[in-house]
Amino acid sequence: MPKQWRSAVVGVGTVGSWHCRILAKMENNTLVATCDKDSEKAKQTLTKIGMESLPIYSDVKEMLTKEQIDVVHVCTPSGDHMTPAIAAMEMGKNVICEKPVEIQLDRIDKMIAAAKKNNVKLAGIFQNRWNLANAALKHAADENRYGRVSFAGCYTPWFRTDEYYREGGWRGTWKLDGGGAIMNQSVHAVDLLQWIAGPIKSVSAYAGARIHKEIEVEDTLACSLQFESGAFGVIVGTTAMYPGSSVRIEIGGENGTAITEYGQGLRTYKFREPKPDDEATIKSCAPSAGPSGGASSNVDVALDLHFRNITHILESWERGEDASTDGVEARKAVAIIVAMYESAKNGGQAVAVK
C-alpha cells in the first residue's frame, strides 16, 4: 500500500486553493487543515471550492501542534515563504513550496539548511517540467541530440491588468513579490531553460515598468546570456504585451533544433539524425485547446501539471529520495533572476550567476 500523506496548506489564496483542490483528488493524500492570516478571506475561498469544513488556523505553529501533519504546502506570497517553511521543518514536517521557493538566495539557503538539520524534505513547484513537449526537449538534451548547442532562449510574452497588481497589496513589490514579470511569471520559463540547456554562467539585462506605472518592479525585461557550455541565449519576460501569448522555449545547435510553445506542442523538432520514435513524440505533444497557462490571466491555468509535480515529489519521498525539484534545484532559477536584476540595476552590466 502506498503511504498515506496528511497535508496542510498555508496561504489560501488563488494558488493555495489550487493545492487544496489537487490534494482532495489524490488517493494517497488527506487534506487535514489550512492556515491563513486572513481567516475570513480563507473561509470565503474554501467555501467557493466546496471545502468550507476544513479547519482554518491563523498561526502555523498552532496548526502543526494541534493537527497530525506530514507535509506542509507553502502558498503564501513569494517573499513570505521562508518563515512558514522553516517553522514547519523545525517541527519535523516536510515542505512543498510554491514558486519561486523564495525571493532571496540567503533565505533559500536557510530553508535548505533547515531541511537538512531537521532530517525532512523540501521541494519546489515547477510544474511545467511535466509538460510533455518540455520533457521532450530535456530528453533530447540528455541524449546530446543537439550536439554543440549554439543558442537557447525562453520567452514569456504575457499580459496583466493594473487591477491584478492592486489585488492583495503584495504583487509588484520588491518586499513580497521579489520582482515583477521575471520573478513572478517568467520564473517557470527560466527554470525550464536552465534545466534543458544547462547552467547559465552570466547575464546582461535591461528592465523597466513600461505600462504598469503603479508598480515598483519591472513589467518587462530582456536579457542576453552565456551558458557555462559556451552557448548564447536570451530570456525575455513581460506582463505588458496585450493580450498575452504562449510561453516559448527553444534550443538548437549543430545537430538539431527543438521549439516548444505552451498549448501548441512541439513547433520544431528536427535533428540531423532522426530516430524512429520522433514522429510519435511529436504526435504525443500535439496542440490542445484549453487554458493559456497564464498568458492573459493568473487563473487561466489547468491543474494537471501541478498534480503530476506533487505526485512526483511524494513518490520520491516515499522512496527516501529527494524530488527532482528539491531545494537545491529550485534555487537555480532564483539565482539567475537575482543576477538579472543586479545587471538591470547597473545598466546592463554583465553579472555572474551565483
Side-chain angles (χ1 to χ4, degrees):
M1 289 289 292
K3 177 179 174 61
Q4 292 297 308
W5 301 87
R6 294 177 63 83
S7 302
V9 173
V10 180
V12 193
T14 299
V15 178
S17 71
W18 295 351
H19 280 247
C20 289
R21 289 163 57 191
I22 292 165
L23 293 171
K25 293 180 179 179
M26 299 184 78
E27 294 182 357
N28 63 341
N29 240 294
T30 301
L31 178 58
V32 298
T34 63
C35 181
D36 198 291
K37 294 177 181 178
D38 190 339
S39 57
E40 185 57 38
K41 188 174 180 180
K43 183 176 181 180
Q44 294 174 7
T45 300
L46 292 173
T47 299
K48 288 180 181 178
I49 61 176
M51 297 184 183
E52 60 272 16
S53 62
L54 273 174
I56 303 171
Y57 292 85
S58 58
D59 181 78
V60 172
K61 292 183 179 179
E62 180 186 3
M63 177 184 72
L64 296 176
T65 300
K66 292 185 177 180
E67 302 284 351
Q68 183 181 343
I69 295 167
D70 303 309
V71 184
V72 174
H73 292 242
V74 176
C75 303
T76 50
S78 304
D80 189 29
H81 284 174
M82 183 187 73
T83 299
I86 289 181
M89 290 188 286
E90 287 182 341
M91 295 183 72
K93 314 304 180 184
N94 304 294
V95 170
I96 295 176
C97 193
E98 261 295 340
K99 63 79 188 171
V101 66
E102 245 290 352
I103 60 174
Q104 295 180 12
L105 297 181
D106 61 335
R107 295 184 190 178
I108 299 173
D109 292 339
K110 289 177 182 177
M111 292 165 68
I112 294 170
K116 183 177 181 180
K117 177 183 176 182
N118 295 286
N119 195 30
V120 294
K121 299 293 188 184
L122 169 66
I125 292 291
F126 279 119
Q127 74 273 12
N128 290 318
R129 292 189 180 197
W130 279 264
N131 174 284
L132 292 178
N134 295 330
L137 266 62
K138 170 63 172 173
H139 184 65
D142 290 344
E143 292 190 329
N144 197 32
R145 295 191 69 190
Y146 306 107
R148 183 179 301 168
V149 174
S150 58
F151 177 86
C154 67
Y155 310 82
T156 307
W158 284 6
F159 183 77
R160 292 292 184 269
T161 64
D162 287 332
E163 288 71 24
Y164 162 83
Y165 284 106
R166 293 168 186 154
E167 290 175 358
W170 65 275
R171 293 175 180 148
T173 67
W174 287 113
K175 182 178 180 180
L176 288 175
D177 216 353
I182 298 295
M183 185 68 85
N184 190 312
Q185 284 80 23
S186 300
V187 62
H188 289 293
V190 173
D191 172 68
L192 289 173
L193 185 65
Q194 67 83 24
W195 180 57
I196 293 165
I200 293 172
K201 179 181 179 180
S202 64
V203 300
S204 177
Y206 293 89
R210 294 292 299 156
I211 68 168
H212 296 106
K213 299 302 183 181
E214 296 178 17
I215 64 175
E216 60 188 48
V217 298
E218 88 291 349
D219 65 13
T220 305
L221 181 146
C223 177
S224 60
L225 52 92
Q226 185 173 25
F227 292 88
E228 288 186 3
S229 67
F232 303 108
V234 298
I235 294 171
V236 175
T238 180
T239 54
M241 287 179 62
Y242 180 86
S245 53
S246 301
V247 171
R248 188 168 87 254
I249 310 291
E250 55 189 41
I251 177 172
E254 60 185 340
N255 293 329
T257 295
I259 302 172
T260 180
E261 193 169 327
Y262 188 91
Q264 303 301 314
L266 288 166
R267 301 302 298 267
T268 301
Y269 195 70
K270 298 285 186 179
F271 298 94
R272 192 183 298 275
E273 297 182 6
K275 289 190 173 184
D277 59 353
D278 282 352
E279 286 302 318
T281 297
I282 294 170
K283 289 181 180 178
S284 71
C285 303
S288 59
S292 67
S296 56
S297 169
N298 63 309
V299 298
D300 191 27
V301 177
L303 300 184
D304 58 319
L305 298 181
H306 265 82
F307 189 98
R308 295 178 200 174
N309 193 167
I310 295 170
T311 297
H312 159 78
I313 292 169
L314 296 180
E315 289 178 347
S316 298
W317 289 354
E318 188 169 356
R319 295 192 300 269
E321 302 170 359
D322 282 318
S324 62
T325 56
D326 66 5
V328 173
E329 186 68 13
R331 183 188 189 278
K332 293 177 180 178
V334 179
I336 296 164
I337 293 169
V338 168
M340 288 196 291
Y341 285 154
E342 182 180 345
S343 174
K345 289 176 182 177
N346 289 280
Q349 178 181 338
V351 172
V353 176
K354 300 176 182 178

